[in-house]
Amino acid sequence: MTTNLLFLSLLLTSIFQWCSPETCTSPSASSSSWSMPFVKLGQKRYYVGHFFKANWYKSQQYCRYHGMQLASIESKEENDVLEKYVNEIGLGSDHFWTSGTDQGEEGNFIWFSTGKPITFTNWNAGEPNNFKYENGEEEHCLELWNRDAKGLKWNDTPCSFETFFVCEA
């Protein structure tokens, strides 16, 4: 499976070489190799992974393999600009992994990509709730999700769920 994921990521990145070097070149890529389709929103560059779905760990691996990390959202402005972009590309009703997690200590969410505690929040009503599923799995990873058409809010969900993801450079 890992070989297939890496092959797919290389294939996809070789297809998307339309970005300009100033805004889209992968930080780990030289000018003679592939480019990631980054979009600059505010102060950060994002890669919205929407060509395949993966669990939180595989999403983390994909971002890291390409010299990025799962996104950490540290302000309302950052959340709003990301939500606007996701809506503009027609994916406003999908789910997206971020680097948020409370796997280290239940209820204590941090940005895994930076190790910093989460200070700005945009939780959906009743979240985080660490819902426990019939198989015993609990919710420890933070996703963006437009539940009930109320905008791209935050939800804790099992890290094993497969969804799209947002990387940042």
Side-chain angles (χ1 to χ4, degrees):
M1 180 65 171
T2 301
T3 304
N4 291 342
L5 181 63
L6 294 176
F7 173 76
L8 179 61
S9 68
L10 291 173
L11 175 65
L12 291 172
T13 55
S14 68
I15 292 169
F16 293 98
Q17 295 184 4
W18 48 266
C19 294
S20 70
E22 296 80 34
T23 59
C24 297
T25 301
S26 173
S28 62
S30 69
S31 61
S32 63
S33 65
W34 52 267
S35 296
M36 292 294 285
F38 287 116
V39 61
K40 186 164 175 37
L41 301 172
Q43 299 301 312
K44 293 183 180 178
R45 292 182 307 150
Y46 296 96
Y47 169 76
V48 178
H50 63 276
F51 296 105
F52 63 91
K53 294 181 179 184
N55 66 38
W56 189 83
Y57 307 101
K58 294 271 185 187
S59 298
Q60 186 80 257
Q61 178 187 11
Y62 181 89
C63 294
R64 298 293 296 167
Y65 180 81
H66 293 287
M68 302 174 288
Q69 56 202 11
L70 278 175
S72 57
I73 302 168
E74 299 172 341
S75 70
K76 180 178 181 348
E77 295 76 26
E78 188 176 352
N79 193 86
D80 291 349
V81 74
L82 191 55
E83 177 179 9
K84 181 180 178 199
Y85 177 72
V86 166
N87 285 325
E88 286 174 356
I89 62 174
L91 298 172
S93 62
D94 284 298
H95 300 244
F96 296 89
W97 286 127
T98 70
S99 76
T101 184
D102 72 344
Q103 292 179 82
E105 180 182 344
E106 174 55 40
N108 185 23
F109 278 85
I110 64 158
W111 295 117
F112 187 78
S113 60
T114 65
K116 295 178 182 176
I118 293 177
T119 52
F120 163 76
T121 62
N122 191 36
W123 294 106
N124 216 326
E127 302 294 344
N129 61 3
N130 195 34
F131 183 81
K132 189 171 185 174
Y133 291 77
E134 289 179 12
N135 66 0
E137 191 169 18
E138 296 180 17
E139 300 178 321
H140 294 296
C141 291
L142 194 160
E143 68 171 352
L144 304 175
W145 179 30
N146 186 359
R147 182 177 77 195
D148 304 325
K150 294 181 180 177
L152 206 59
K153 302 285 187 184
W154 299 5
N155 178 53
D156 61 331
T157 199
C159 305
S160 66
F161 282 14
E162 292 192 350
T163 189
F164 297 132
F165 51 92
V166 179
C167 304
E168 68 181 45

